[in-house]
Amino acid sequence: MSSYAARRNALRRELQAANLDALLVTNLLNVRYLTGFTGSNAAVLVDADGDDTTVFCTDGRYLTQSARQVPDLERVVDRPCDTALARRAKGRLGFESHVVTVDGFDGLTAAAGRAELVKAGGFVEKLRLVKDEVEIEALRMACAAADRALAALIGHGGLRAGRTEREVARELESRMLDHGAEGPSFSSIVAFGANSAVPHHSPTDATLHVGDFIKLDFGALVDGYHSDMTRTLVLGKPADWQRDLYDLVARSQAAGRNALKPGVRVSGVDHASREVIEKAGHGEDFLHGLGHGVGLEIHEAPALSKAGAGTLSAGMAVTVEPGVYLPGRGGVRIEDTLVVRESGPELLTLTTKELVVV
Ligand code: ZN
Ligand code: ZN
């Protein structure tokens, strides 16, 4: 059975538990997750009874592509897909209430006829929380592309005095393409010197100087899966305060990674890492949550934060990324992408976390 068919079967167990006859999936990422289709317009009506009565819809632009990517489902070529599929539904029809607009809902109501529309938001996202091995392999490749790009950037002297943040961001992104990425998984953060104290700094024409922190937060996209890694380096000899700050964040990050175990509350993971920084008197300078899920989206559930709800399960892919930011001076963030496993977390971003001095 393909991984897509296995995912549809897992979804059917959820539909049966909710007493739904079908789910109309209109979120494109969820359609991709369930069918493998990568085009820009599609929907799928997942019948609770099985694949024989499950229908995929796209438009004429994707006739050839959908035949190749979705060979195992009945295909309808029509538009709009949501109402075309709703017209075929009977009984209790779940719809993705977290993505359907008010206007879209009016259209579905008119098309569904006697089928009863039932709010069913987040059903597929719940499955996407736990990655299967096909997804984890894509994440592994995405993380490897980012690791190799950073090694090549450093190895080719890309981090030298006088370069701008923008130049480094461009080089990093082009090197990820060289190493198998479809593209960057988000706009790269490249921050030199005092700019490294801004958690989500956008690259500017600021130039790199000896003694600067160099904060790089970037990722690669492979098969639709996102990697996410932050490393903070120093150009030239680090000052004592830079070493101290780096060591503190590194200890906090290790505590967060070590807390990644199935059954642990996500807020507890945040606490394990944050506690290290708070005890050092820098609690106020750690301005964000500890991490987030990664997969078909760069930020997805679960949120590893103080307010995050729920517990970890084996197979979740998450980031651990504490940071301490000293306005006007500089900041350090260290971020890995990992998979929660029974035997301990699997690290996907393999670049060293020793302080790299270039
Ligand atoms: Zn990041
Ligand atoms: Zn992140």
Short mmCIF file of all heavy atoms in Angstrom, two decimals, residues 186 200 217 228-230 291-292 294 298-299 319 321 333 335, ligand 2:
data_model
loop_
_atom_site.label_atom_id
_atom_site.label_comp_id
_atom_site.label_asym_id
_atom_site.label_seq_id
_atom_site.Cartn_x
_atom_site.Cartn_y
_atom_site.Cartn_z
N PHE A 186 12.02 29.05 3.90
CA PHE A 186 11.48 30.35 4.30
C PHE A 186 12.56 31.38 3.99
O PHE A 186 13.68 30.99 3.64
CB PHE A 186 11.09 30.38 5.79
CG PHE A 186 12.21 30.02 6.73
CD1 PHE A 186 13.02 31.00 7.29
CD2 PHE A 186 12.49 28.67 7.03
CE1 PHE A 186 14.07 30.66 8.13
CE2 PHE A 186 13.53 28.34 7.88
CZ PHE A 186 14.33 29.33 8.43
N HIS A 200 13.94 37.88 14.53
CA HIS A 200 13.60 37.61 13.13
C HIS A 200 14.04 38.76 12.24
O HIS A 200 13.25 39.41 11.58
CB HIS A 200 12.12 37.32 12.97
CG HIS A 200 11.82 35.87 13.07
ND1 HIS A 200 10.74 35.26 12.45
CD2 HIS A 200 12.48 34.87 13.70
CE1 HIS A 200 10.77 33.96 12.73
NE2 HIS A 200 11.80 33.70 13.49
N ASP A 217 19.64 31.70 10.29
CA ASP A 217 18.47 30.84 10.52
C ASP A 217 17.86 30.57 9.16
O ASP A 217 17.39 31.49 8.49
CB ASP A 217 17.47 31.56 11.45
CG ASP A 217 16.28 30.68 11.82
OD1 ASP A 217 16.12 29.58 11.25
OD2 ASP A 217 15.49 31.11 12.68
N ASP A 228 14.73 23.40 9.25
CA ASP A 228 14.84 24.66 9.99
C ASP A 228 16.03 24.53 10.93
O ASP A 228 16.06 23.62 11.77
CB ASP A 228 13.53 24.88 10.77
CG ASP A 228 13.40 26.30 11.31
OD1 ASP A 228 14.31 27.11 11.08
OD2 ASP A 228 12.37 26.57 11.95
N MET A 229 17.02 25.40 10.75
CA MET A 229 18.23 25.33 11.58
C MET A 229 18.74 26.74 11.83
O MET A 229 18.70 27.58 10.94
CB MET A 229 19.30 24.50 10.86
CG MET A 229 20.65 24.50 11.57
SD MET A 229 21.77 23.24 10.92
CE MET A 229 22.36 24.00 9.43
N THR A 230 19.21 27.00 13.03
CA THR A 230 19.91 28.25 13.33
C THR A 230 21.28 27.93 13.90
O THR A 230 21.39 27.06 14.77
CB THR A 230 19.15 29.10 14.37
OG1 THR A 230 17.80 29.26 13.96
CG2 THR A 230 19.79 30.48 14.52
N GLY A 291 10.07 26.12 20.45
CA GLY A 291 10.14 25.48 19.14
C GLY A 291 8.76 25.21 18.59
O GLY A 291 7.74 25.61 19.16
N HIS A 292 8.74 24.50 17.47
CA HIS A 292 7.49 24.27 16.74
C HIS A 292 7.61 22.99 15.92
O HIS A 292 8.74 22.55 15.62
CB HIS A 292 7.20 25.46 15.82
CG HIS A 292 8.36 25.84 14.93
ND1 HIS A 292 8.56 25.25 13.71
CD2 HIS A 292 9.40 26.69 15.11
CE1 HIS A 292 9.66 25.75 13.16
NE2 HIS A 292 10.20 26.62 13.99
N VAL A 294 7.53 20.88 12.46
CA VAL A 294 7.87 21.16 11.06
C VAL A 294 7.43 19.98 10.20
O VAL A 294 7.42 18.83 10.65
CB VAL A 294 9.38 21.37 10.80
CG1 VAL A 294 9.80 22.76 11.12
CG2 VAL A 294 10.22 20.37 11.55
N ILE A 298 6.36 25.18 7.49
CA ILE A 298 7.55 25.50 8.30
C ILE A 298 7.17 25.64 9.77
O ILE A 298 7.94 25.24 10.65
CB ILE A 298 8.30 26.75 7.76
CG1 ILE A 298 9.51 27.10 8.62
CG2 ILE A 298 7.41 27.96 7.63
CD1 ILE A 298 10.60 26.06 8.64
N HIS A 299 6.00 26.16 10.04
CA HIS A 299 5.51 26.21 11.42
C HIS A 299 4.21 25.45 11.49
O HIS A 299 3.22 25.85 10.88
CB HIS A 299 5.25 27.66 11.88
CG HIS A 299 6.50 28.48 11.94
ND1 HIS A 299 6.69 29.62 11.21
CD2 HIS A 299 7.63 28.32 12.67
CE1 HIS A 299 7.89 30.12 11.47
NE2 HIS A 299 8.49 29.34 12.35
N THR A 319 11.30 21.59 16.27
CA THR A 319 12.54 22.33 16.45
C THR A 319 12.74 22.62 17.93
O THR A 319 11.79 22.69 18.69
CB THR A 319 12.54 23.67 15.70
OG1 THR A 319 11.60 24.56 16.33
CG2 THR A 319 12.18 23.50 14.24
N GLU A 321 14.82 25.66 19.79
CA GLU A 321 15.54 26.86 19.38
C GLU A 321 15.51 27.98 20.41
O GLU A 321 14.94 29.04 20.15
CB GLU A 321 15.01 27.36 18.03
CG GLU A 321 13.49 27.49 17.94
CD GLU A 321 13.04 28.06 16.59
OE1 GLU A 321 13.55 29.12 16.21
OE2 GLU A 321 12.19 27.43 15.94
N ARG A 333 21.09 32.35 18.97
CA ARG A 333 20.06 31.32 18.91
C ARG A 333 20.71 30.07 18.33
O ARG A 333 21.56 30.18 17.43
CB ARG A 333 18.86 31.76 18.05
CG ARG A 333 17.78 30.68 17.99
CD ARG A 333 16.41 31.20 17.49
NE ARG A 333 16.41 31.63 16.10
CZ ARG A 333 16.28 32.88 15.71
NH1 ARG A 333 16.12 33.85 16.59
NH2 ARG A 333 16.28 33.19 14.42
N GLU A 335 19.39 26.33 16.90
CA GLU A 335 18.16 25.61 16.56
C GLU A 335 18.46 24.34 15.77
O GLU A 335 19.21 24.37 14.81
CB GLU A 335 17.26 26.51 15.69
CG GLU A 335 16.03 25.78 15.14
CD GLU A 335 15.15 26.67 14.28
OE1 GLU A 335 15.68 27.61 13.63
OE2 GLU A 335 13.94 26.42 14.24
ZN ZN B 2 12.13 27.49 13.81
#
